[in-house]
């Protein structure tokens, strides 16, 4: 095979791989965006609840054994809701950066 044909074959192979990588990443991103869109209302509720008067009252009730023993009270911890909200914020900022980079690449 002539050198030009070898380079062309390598280029086509490389671009084929780029196509596959781009399609897979875009499909995953679309799925993640759809999941986040579905969870926006939950994120809004958690953000409004965490640190509110209701949260403090519920936490106090939990600490005094006034809530059912079988009730999942992870939301009344300080770290888990805080980390969830911070991670959501960081993910949103990263999404903006990735979106900007994607648009600039097109």
């Amino acid at each position: 095979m002539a050198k030009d044909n070898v380079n062309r074959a390598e280029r086509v192979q490389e671009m084929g791989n780029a196509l596959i990588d781009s399609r897979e990443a875009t499909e995953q991103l679309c799925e993640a965006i759809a999941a986040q869109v579905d969870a926006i209302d939950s994120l809004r509720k958690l953000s409004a609840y965490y640190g509110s008067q209701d949260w403090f009252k519920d936490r106090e009730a939990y600490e005094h054994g006034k809530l059912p023993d079988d009730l999942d009270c992870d939301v009344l911890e300080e770290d888990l809701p805080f980390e969830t909200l911070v991670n959501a914020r960081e993910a949103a900022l990263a999404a903006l950066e990735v979106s900007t980079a994607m648009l600039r690449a097109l």
Side-chain angles (χ1 to χ4, degrees):
M1 219 190 268
K3 184 176 180 182
D4 188 42
N5 286 341
V6 171
N7 289 340
R8 181 171 291 119
E10 289 174 356
R11 182 175 53 244
V12 169
Q13 179 66 48
E14 180 181 352
M15 292 303 107
N17 291 339
L19 173 65
I20 291 168
D21 291 346
S22 297
R23 286 185 65 160
E24 289 175 358
T26 300
E27 287 173 10
Q28 291 173 0
L29 179 59
C30 289
E31 290 171 8
I33 289 170
Q36 191 59 54
V37 166
D38 290 344
I40 289 289
D41 192 44
S42 293
L43 184 63
R44 219 178 258 123
K45 287 177 185 178
L46 177 61
S47 181
Y49 175 68
Y50 179 68
S52 69
Q53 285 185 340
D54 284 339
W55 183 83
F56 281 106
K57 288 177 185 176
D58 294 345
R59 183 180 164 102
E60 185 177 335
Y62 172 70
E63 290 172 349
H64 289 93
K66 295 180 180 178
L67 294 175
D69 291 336
D70 61 344
L71 182 63
D72 180 354
C73 293
D74 287 348
V75 73
L76 299 176
E77 295 179 15
E78 289 186 32
D79 292 342
L80 190 57
F82 177 78
E83 288 173 3
T84 300
L85 294 171
V86 167
N87 289 342
R89 183 180 186 281
E90 289 176 2
L93 289 171
L96 284 172
E97 291 174 9
V98 168
S99 296
T100 300
M102 287 174 68
L103 289 170
R104 286 187 175 144
L106 299 175

